[in-house]
């Protein structure tokens, strides 16, 4: 029996969800909900939706829809809690875009609601279903990098700019989730510093499509410290002319690089060490070639024995997300990769980073 789905949100990501659920043999799109009538008409035209598919402006218009089993939420982050809570209270399974909620208490409440109504709460952390992340996790688990030294990531672009969350909440969750998965641990200390660009600078670029509300950090630097001493550094920015989607883990025997901007060769393993004077390479020195640090310092002696482009399964990560969600609904069992409770841990980290940002970068302990 097919699972009846209502997709909430007909924007960029909602369209991708609609496409995947329409193509999946185990799901049936019964409704698309969006307050923007033009967006609904565009979706209807793009997918030539069957006349039976309901186009609605509000979730309340489809709550009693016969055959509806689950909702997929791809709306602004500030609406996730209310929509997910409403759906769970109506005993629907829920797939929700990241972040699950904008504060820890609301995230926990959603998980408890799912348990109470015995429904699945699945958070769309798409990168955790990326073949490169799967392969990278196996590389690290097999100790091919040797002793892990440090990691760093850049996630920047010029737009889109969000109006309900800052760059930290919009972007950081992806890299934190990947680091946690690859390291199989969560940070015990975090810190964040950031910059809110002057409103005059932002509005001067409004012709390019940017309309940032004042008070939200556009540029954020994150430091994560893990129980074994591993540190990860993340650069996040909405107003960067150079779009970057790159994450690197450096070990004593090699370096693993996941660069999403190289779609043909996204995962590279460099075998060899980066050593100077018997000491491990400093993060800031290694960061120079990637534009992370600004001052010039001497480069370490580097020995690269090989540079291997790793083969990956050719599958769309979101297709795997939708397939896993449908399987969780069919079996009514949680997904260990992307459950609501797993997302609570990420929100705990983001909340602490927000607090550190408010305190000017003060390091905060999580446990």
């Amino acid at each position: 029996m097919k699972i009846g789905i209502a997709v909430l949100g007909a924007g960029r990501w909602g369209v991708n969800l609609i496409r995947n659920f329409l193509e999946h043999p185990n799901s049936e799109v019964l409704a698309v909900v969006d307050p923007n009538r033009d967006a609904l008409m565009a979706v209807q035209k793009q997918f030539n939706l069957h006349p039976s598919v309901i186009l609605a402006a509000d979730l309340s218009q489809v709550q009693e829809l016969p055959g509806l089993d689950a909702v997929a939420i791809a709306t602004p982050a500030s609406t996730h809690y209310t929509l997910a809570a409403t759906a769970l209270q109506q005993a629907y399974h829920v797939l929700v875009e990241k972040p699950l909620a904008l504060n820890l208490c609301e995230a926990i409440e959603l998980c408890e609601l799912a348990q109470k109504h015995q429904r699945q709460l699945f958070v769309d952390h798409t990168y955790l279903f990326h073949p490169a992340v799967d392969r990278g996790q196996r590389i690290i688990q097999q100790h091919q990098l040797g002793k892990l030294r440090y990691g760093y990531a850049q996630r920047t672009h010029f737009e889109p700019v969000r109006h309900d969350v800052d760059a930290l909440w919009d972007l950081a969750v992806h890299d934190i989730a990947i680091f946690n998965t690859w390291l199989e641990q969560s940070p015990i200390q975090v810190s964040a510093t950031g910059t809110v660009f002057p409103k005059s600078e932002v509005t001067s670029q409004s012709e390019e499509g940017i309309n940032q509300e004042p008070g939200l950090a556009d540029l954020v630097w994150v430091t994560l410290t893990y129980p074994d001493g591993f540190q990860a550094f993340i650069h996040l920015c909405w107003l960067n002319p150079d779009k970057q989607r790159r994450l690197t883990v450096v070990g004593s025997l090699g370096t693993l690089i996941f660069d999403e901007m190289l779609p043909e060769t996204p995962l590279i393993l460099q075998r060899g060490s980066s050593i100077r004077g018997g000491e491990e390479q400093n993060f800031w020195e290694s960061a120079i070639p990637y534009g992370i640090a600004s001052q010039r310092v001497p480069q370490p002696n580097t020995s690269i024995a090989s540079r291997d482009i790793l083969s990956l399964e050719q599958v769309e990560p979101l297709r795997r997300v939708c397939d896993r969600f449908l399987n969780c609904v069919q079996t009514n069992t949680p997904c260990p990769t992307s459950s609501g409770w797993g997302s609570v841990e990420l929100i705990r980290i983001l909340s602490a980073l927000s607090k550190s940002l408010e305190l000017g970068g003060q390091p905060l302990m999580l446990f």
Side-chain angles (χ1 to χ4, degrees), residues 155-157 167 171 197 218-220 235-240:
R155 188 167 297 272
T156 70
H157 53 245
L171 303 176
F197 290 110
D218 302 275
L219 169 65
V220 181
H235 171 206
L236 310 162
C237 189
W238 277 331
L239 297 178
N240 195 42

Side-chain angles (χ1 to χ4, degrees), residues 57-134:
D58 189 84
L59 175 59
S60 62
Q61 296 174 250
V62 300
Q63 282 180 348
E64 304 299 327
L65 190 62
L68 184 61
D69 303 298
V71 301
I73 300 172
T75 58
S78 58
T79 67
H80 289 180
Y81 166 75
T82 300
L83 291 174
T86 300
L88 289 169
Q89 287 165 350
Q90 294 291 320
Y92 294 125
H93 301 279
V94 172
L95 166 65
V96 60
E97 235 278 78
K98 60 80 189 169
L100 173 59
L102 293 182
N103 69 64
L104 189 58
C105 291
E106 289 182 347
I108 292 173
E109 182 182 336
L110 290 176
C111 292
E112 292 174 342
L113 268 175
Q115 288 182 334
K116 176 182 178 181
H117 294 282
Q118 297 184 331
R119 291 296 180 265
Q120 295 307 306
L121 177 59
F122 190 110
V123 185
D124 178 14
H125 293 295
T126 311
Y127 281 93
L128 298 185
F129 296 84
H130 197 295
V133 174
D134 285 346

Side-chain angles (χ1 to χ4, degrees), residues 268-314:
I268 295 174
L269 175 59
Q270 290 185 177
R271 303 180 191 275
S273 59
S274 299
I275 305 294
R276 182 180 62 203
E279 298 295 332
E280 66 186 73
Q281 173 180 342
N282 180 271
F283 163 75
W284 296 109
E285 296 169 353
S286 72
I288 293 289
Y290 307 109
I292 295 179
S294 57
Q295 67 182 57
R296 176 168 293 279
V297 296
Q299 293 299 294
N301 299 323
T302 303
S303 173
I304 299 177
S306 66
R307 186 174 186 272
D308 301 330
I309 297 172
L310 303 179
S311 61
L312 303 172
E313 179 186 2
Q314 297 302 305

Side-chain angles (χ1 to χ4, degrees), residues 204-280:
S204 67
Q205 302 179 71
S206 59
E207 293 183 358
E208 302 296 331
I210 293 178
N211 184 24
Q212 172 65 43
E213 295 295 327
L216 298 179
D218 302 275
L219 169 65
V220 181
W221 293 92
V222 166
T223 301
L224 310 173
T225 303
Y226 288 82
D228 62 359
F230 182 96
Q231 284 193 306
F233 308 85
I234 307 174
H235 171 206
L236 310 162
C237 189
W238 277 331
L239 297 178
N240 195 42
D242 182 17
K243 183 175 181 178
Q244 302 172 91
R245 296 289 186 273
R246 180 184 176 107
L247 185 144
T248 302
V249 171
V250 178
S252 60
L253 300 179
T255 298
L256 187 62
I257 303 167
F258 172 30
D259 192 339
E260 193 184 356
M261 302 309 296
L262 301 175
E264 301 301 319
T265 59
L267 192 64
I268 295 174
L269 175 59
Q270 290 185 177
R271 303 180 191 275
S273 59
S274 299
I275 305 294
R276 182 180 62 203
E279 298 295 332
E280 66 186 73

